[in-house]
């Protein structure tokens, strides 16, 4: 699930000598019900990708996200990992997509599926704060912003934010359990990745039948994709004028703006926002926990 530690897990898996992870963390090749052409202009702008230029080079650079629709381009991502036991990627859209599980099975029925979930209220709030930090969201009232997104008439990946929908896991997991043999699916909780990394990675290595000692330990100490939020009102106001600023300038200054943000743990979430999310996700989360 999005905001459930997939960036960390992607990097940890990539640190194992028997695993090759796609240089594009989220190539989003599977899931034909999610189409880049259908996205809202702002999301299209943020995920724009010149595939021809990228694959024309001899070295495929690291990239967080793309939406590939050509099989030959997707396969090219893994050419340098041909000698590895496993080749993988970490597209969070595959859990939400209604078609991805079936398409992955058609592509490779022996695929190993690792699903990481996060307590749904926490996942939703973290997702909202990530958008606030990334200037993809300019509604400073979290409760109001969550309500607007949930009750919007037109929904979908890249169309709305799906703050609540991405936290409703039961049907999403069931799609995989109905298609793949149970022994090919590993269900994990984000809280274990955060609190007991060693145990969780041991479980993954057992699942993949790999030797834990072949993992580069220095990679395991790094923190990836932390949830940060604006420190002050001035920065929050910047998100409201982002559309008036050239994209090239926003991308240029983003790496230099980290000092303007604070860890999410210092940020107070209004009780009204927590209640709104909890009321919508609680029943689904109880059912999901039967799987876990």
């Amino acid at each position: 699930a999005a905001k459930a530690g997939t960036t960390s897990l992607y990097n940890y898996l990539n640190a194992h000598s028997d695993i090759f992870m796609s240089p594009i963390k989220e190539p989003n090749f599977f899931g034909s019900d999610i189409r880049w052409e259908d996205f809202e202009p702002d999301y299209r702008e943020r995920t724009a990708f010149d595939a021809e230029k990228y694959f024309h080079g001899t070295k495929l650079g690291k990239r967080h996200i793309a939406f590939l629709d050509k099989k030959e381009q997707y396969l090219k991502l893994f050419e340098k990992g041909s000698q590895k036991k496993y080749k993988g990627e970490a597209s969070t859209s595959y859990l939400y997509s209604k078609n991805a599980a079936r398409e992955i099975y058609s592509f490779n029925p022996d695929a190993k599926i690792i699903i990481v979930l996060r307590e749904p209220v926490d996942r939703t709030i973290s997702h909202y704060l990530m958008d606030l930090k990334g200037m993809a969201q300019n509604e400073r009232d979290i409760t109001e912003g969550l309500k607007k997104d949930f009750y919007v008439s037109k929904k979908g990946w890249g169309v709305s934010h799906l703050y609540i929908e991405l936290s409703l896991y039961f049907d999403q997991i069931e799609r995989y359990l109905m298609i793949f043999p149970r022994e090919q699916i590993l269900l994990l909780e984000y809280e274990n990745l955060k609190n007991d990394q060693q145990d969780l990675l041991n479980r993954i290595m057992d699942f993949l039948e790999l030797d834990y000692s072949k993992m580069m330990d220095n990679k395991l100490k790094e923190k990836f994709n932390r949830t940060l939020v604006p420190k002050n009102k001035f920065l929050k106001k910047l998100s409201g004028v982002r559309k008036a600023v050239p994209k090239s300038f926003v991308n240029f200054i983003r790496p230099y703006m980290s000092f303007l943000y604070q860890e999410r743990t210092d940020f107070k979430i209004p009780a009204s926002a927590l209640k709104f999310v909890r009321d919508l996700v609680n029943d689904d989360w109880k059912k999901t926990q039967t799987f876990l």
Side-chain angles (χ1 to χ4, degrees):
K3 297 305 295 176
T6 53
T7 300
S8 295
L9 192 54
Y10 163 87
N11 283 284
Y12 298 155
L13 290 172
N14 210 27
H16 195 284
S17 60
D18 290 330
I19 301 175
F20 178 87
M21 297 298 284
S22 161
I24 301 178
K25 183 217 166 205
E26 301 187 38
N28 295 288
F29 175 68
F30 303 103
S32 56
D33 52 329
I34 295 176
R35 291 162 35 89
W36 189 83
E37 295 80 3
D38 297 334
F39 297 165
E40 287 295 295
D42 185 57
Y43 190 68
R44 276 209 309 270
E45 180 185 23
R46 286 187 282 124
T47 58
F49 174 60
D50 188 338
E52 296 301 326
K53 182 178 179 181
Y54 178 82
F55 287 104
H56 183 71
T58 54
K59 183 179 180 181
L60 303 183
K62 290 283 186 181
R63 181 180 171 88
H64 182 78
I65 192 168
F67 288 86
L68 302 181
D69 56 8
K70 294 181 180 177
K71 187 175 181 179
E72 62 270 20
Q73 291 179 341
Y74 183 70
L75 293 176
K76 194 168 184 179
L77 291 174
F78 304 98
E79 282 182 351
K80 291 195 174 180
S82 59
Q83 303 304 312
K84 305 284 187 176
K85 182 173 181 179
Y86 287 104
K87 293 171 280 293
E89 49 121 321
S91 299
T92 55
S93 67
Y94 295 164
L95 192 58
Y96 173 76
S97 166
K98 292 181 179 178
N99 298 348
R102 184 174 63 252
E103 292 172 6
I104 294 170
Y105 185 84
S106 296
F107 178 80
N108 178 13
D110 296 321
K112 298 274 193 173
I113 308 297
I114 300 175
I115 298 176
V116 189
L117 304 179
R118 181 175 185 171
E119 193 283 322
V121 177
D122 200 42
R123 194 222 68 82
T124 299
I125 297 300
S126 179
H127 185 174
Y128 194 93
L129 296 179
M130 176 189 72
D131 283 355
L132 199 62
K133 177 218 170 186
M135 300 182 186
Q137 174 63 254
N138 55 28
E139 176 56 70
R140 291 167 53 193
D141 185 324
I142 297 179
T143 310
E144 187 63 24
L146 290 169
K147 287 181 177 179
K148 282 181 182 178
D149 186 67
F150 184 69
Y151 293 116
V152 70
S153 58
K154 191 177 178 183
K155 292 186 179 185
W157 191 280
V159 179
S160 59
H161 296 286
L162 302 173
Y163 296 125
I164 300 295
E165 290 81 359
L166 295 185
S167 296
L168 301 174
Y169 304 129
F170 186 84
D171 290 344
Q172 299 177 42
I173 296 172
E174 193 173 43
R175 284 194 282 271
Y176 282 87
L177 290 171
M178 291 180 69
I179 293 173
F180 283 91
R182 182 64 185 86
E183 62 270 16
Q184 287 174 224
I185 300 175
L186 179 63
L187 288 168
L188 301 171
E189 293 188 76
Y190 165 81
E191 286 71 22
N192 292 338
L193 178 62
K194 186 173 66 172
N195 300 326
D196 196 347
Q197 180 196 84
Q198 182 75 52
D199 178 66
L200 183 133
L201 291 175
N202 280 330
R203 288 176 62 192
I204 293 173
M205 292 301 109
D206 289 344
F207 173 65
L208 299 176
E209 298 180 333
L210 293 178
D211 185 350
Y212 181 88
S213 67
K214 292 185 178 181
M215 187 169 283
M216 292 181 284
D217 286 340
N218 62 311
K219 280 284 183 184
L220 305 183
K221 297 175 182 177
E222 294 183 39
K223 286 188 176 182
F224 302 95
N225 207 21
R226 293 173 300 156
T227 297
L228 304 172
V229 292
K231 280 183 180 177
N232 52 55
K233 292 181 180 180
F234 168 72
L235 190 61
K236 292 174 184 175
K237 289 179 180 178
L238 280 180
S239 62
V241 298
R242 183 179 66 84
K243 291 182 180 179
V245 179
K247 180 186 175 186
S248 57
F249 179 72
V250 173
N251 290 338
F252 173 76
I253 66 168
R254 184 174 281 128
Y256 305 101
M257 294 175 66
S258 60
F259 70 94
L260 295 172
Y261 295 90
Q262 63 190 21
E263 290 279 3
R264 178 226 160 138
T265 50
D266 300 326
F267 191 80
K268 299 298 181 185
I269 308 300
S272 57
L274 297 174
K275 183 180 185 307
F276 176 73
V277 179
R278 194 176 295 116
D279 288 347
L280 291 169
V281 303
N282 258 2
D283 287 346
D284 183 271
W285 182 231
K286 287 177 183 176
K287 289 198 299 180
T288 301
Q289 285 179 309
T290 64
F291 284 147
L292 295 171

